[in-house]
Amino acid sequence: MKIDARNIARTLDDAGSWRAIVLHGEDTGLIRERAAQAVRRVAGTTDDPFQVAQLDRETQDRLEEEATALSLIGGRRVVWVKDGQESLAPLFKRVLDADTDALVVLEAPGITARSKLRALAEAHKQVASIACYPEEGRALSQTVTEALAQAGVTIDRDALIWLLGVLGSDRSGVRGEVEKLLLYAGPNGRLDLSSVQDCVGDAGGNSLEDAAFSALCGNRMMADQALERALADGANPVAVARTVLGVLVRLQKVAQAVQDGQGRAEAMKSLKPPVFFKRTAAFSQALDRWPLPALALVARETQAFELACKQSASRDMALCRRHIASLCTVRKA
């Protein structure tokens, strides 16, 4: 059964009412977090070998065996499958057809909308199929503020805006930065813009910004290195497109303000959030290289790149690397 986004929290809280929970989508960190939540809800822990059988890619052929095994100490067992592949569909169907009480929690970040495994999960009334996509905008803001509020920590509005602009899209990365801020602020502390910038610095999603600025400044080698680092950390091509577009929009705003007679330094400071001091040199260098019409042109190309990634998942990585490489050369509008 396909679970609506509004009902995901309730579904995970009631994980014991399902035969299986299949988690899929682009955010591997969110998939892992939700999987662990479901496992703990039923087994009470994630690391008891008698109650939780964890299967990785090399041991997934034991799915049916583990799902039909009886608990040695009583209680309901959980079979937690990590990095589930499309090839699991036949095994998964046999488990659902079998008389077993075990809960199967299946992480399957790589499956597509046409996947047989996903179709099987969405068609079965006792299987919860949950999509896990990167949070952004209001959803990301809510996640951050709620996590801080649980420790009594408050954050200034301008600090939150700046933080949301540099956080990566992967849930595990977001959680890591929030935990760092909690440690920095202390119980019932307060975070202003300066303290957030000092604490987060170049962390979060800044590998993507590194790639964007390096490319726009014409440094192909640094752009490629930053991009590969971001992809290795779990970034996806759509996140790359959105980060690049965000950088281009900010460059366009400053370029337009300068064209209208405002000083560059003043225009950069007037951005919300303001340009991070460690980005100032790269920001100015990009403005020197790219005239306003060329920025508008490459922004349209980036929008087209994002659309192409969504339509051709099999080629999105190649499209991503090619687009970053193309940003090293200034266009003639």
Side-chain angles (χ1 to χ4, degrees):
M1 180 183 296
K2 190 174 182 180
I3 304 300
D4 185 88
R6 294 168 295 181
N7 297 319
I8 290 176
R10 184 168 55 189
T11 298
L12 294 173
D13 283 340
D14 195 25
S17 66
W18 300 90
R19 290 280 308 280
I21 296 175
V22 177
L23 300 145
H24 56 87
E26 300 172 355
D27 194 332
T28 56
L30 184 56
I31 288 174
R32 179 58 50 84
E33 181 179 314
R34 286 174 171 170
Q37 181 181 344
V39 172
R40 280 194 296 268
R41 196 68 180 175
V42 173
T45 181
T46 60
D47 54 8
D48 183 344
F50 295 103
Q51 292 296 98
V52 181
Q54 297 192 33
L55 305 179
D56 56 23
R57 183 177 291 193
E58 286 70 34
T59 57
Q60 288 175 16
D61 57 351
R62 290 168 39 206
L63 173 60
E64 187 176 8
E65 173 189 345
E66 293 289 352
T68 54
L70 297 176
S71 172
L72 298 178
I73 59 175
R76 191 176 183 191
R77 294 181 72 250
V78 178
V79 182
W80 186 359
V81 183
K82 300 178 181 180
D83 196 20
Q85 306 296 305
E86 175 66 12
S87 58
L88 276 177
L91 272 177
F92 187 54
K93 186 178 187 306
R94 288 207 294 269
V95 168
L96 294 177
D97 291 339
D99 183 15
T100 173
D101 185 48
L103 170 68
V104 175
V105 177
L106 201 164
E107 299 180 18
I111 62 175
T112 66
R114 298 180 180 179
S115 161
K116 292 181 180 179
L117 183 60
R118 181 169 165 181
L120 179 62
E122 293 180 355
H124 201 290
K125 293 182 179 180
Q126 292 181 295
V127 178
S129 176
I130 299 177
C132 302
Y133 296 109
E135 290 183 323
E136 57 184 22
R138 183 177 298 177
L140 180 58
S141 175
Q142 184 175 355
T143 294
V144 172
T145 53
E146 286 180 354
L148 294 174
Q150 287 176 4
V153 174
T154 58
I155 183 169
D156 292 352
R157 179 174 174 77
D158 58 345
L160 178 62
I161 292 173
W162 183 88
L163 178 63
L164 296 178
V166 301
L167 283 177
S169 58
D170 184 81
R171 182 63 164 252
S172 60
V174 171
R175 287 294 187 189
E177 292 306 316
V178 170
E179 289 172 5
K180 190 191 303 182
L181 288 169
L182 289 173
L183 184 63
Y184 185 96
N188 302 312
R190 174 176 167 269
L191 294 165
D192 57 18
L193 178 60
S194 177
S195 59
V196 171
Q197 289 179 336
D198 288 342
C199 183
V200 175
D202 278 337
N206 280 11
S207 289
L208 291 180
E209 280 203 354
D210 286 339
F213 276 110
S214 295
L216 291 168
C217 291
N219 193 325
R220 173 70 182 273
M221 184 177 71
M222 289 186 65
D224 288 344
Q225 290 175 347
L227 176 63
E228 295 305 322
R229 185 167 61 249
L231 294 176
D233 287 341
N236 60 72
V238 172
V240 173
R242 291 176 180 175
T243 298
V244 170
L245 192 58
V247 170
L248 291 170
V249 168
R250 285 164 63 81
L251 287 168
Q252 283 179 280
K253 287 181 179 179
V254 173
Q256 183 64 61
V258 171
Q259 184 172 293
D260 293 342
Q262 191 175 14
R264 178 183 289 187
E266 183 184 355
M268 289 170 62
K269 288 180 181 179
S270 67
L271 285 174
K272 300 295 182 183
V275 177
F276 188 37
F277 72 93
K278 292 185 178 181
R279 295 279 186 216
T280 303
F283 201 99
S284 291
Q285 187 178 347
L287 285 172
D288 289 338
R289 294 187 77 232
W290 291 83
L292 186 57
L295 287 172
L297 174 61
V298 80
R300 292 193 297 270
E301 291 177 356
T302 301
Q303 290 175 321
F305 154 59
E306 180 179 349
L307 180 61
C309 286
K310 293 177 178 178
Q311 293 176 335
S312 180
S314 62
R315 297 177 55 237
D316 57 359
M317 288 296 184
L319 291 171
C320 179
R321 293 182 173 95
R322 185 173 70 183
H323 187 70
I324 288 295
S326 73
L327 295 178
C328 296
T329 303
V330 179
R331 314 287 195 278
K332 287 186 178 180

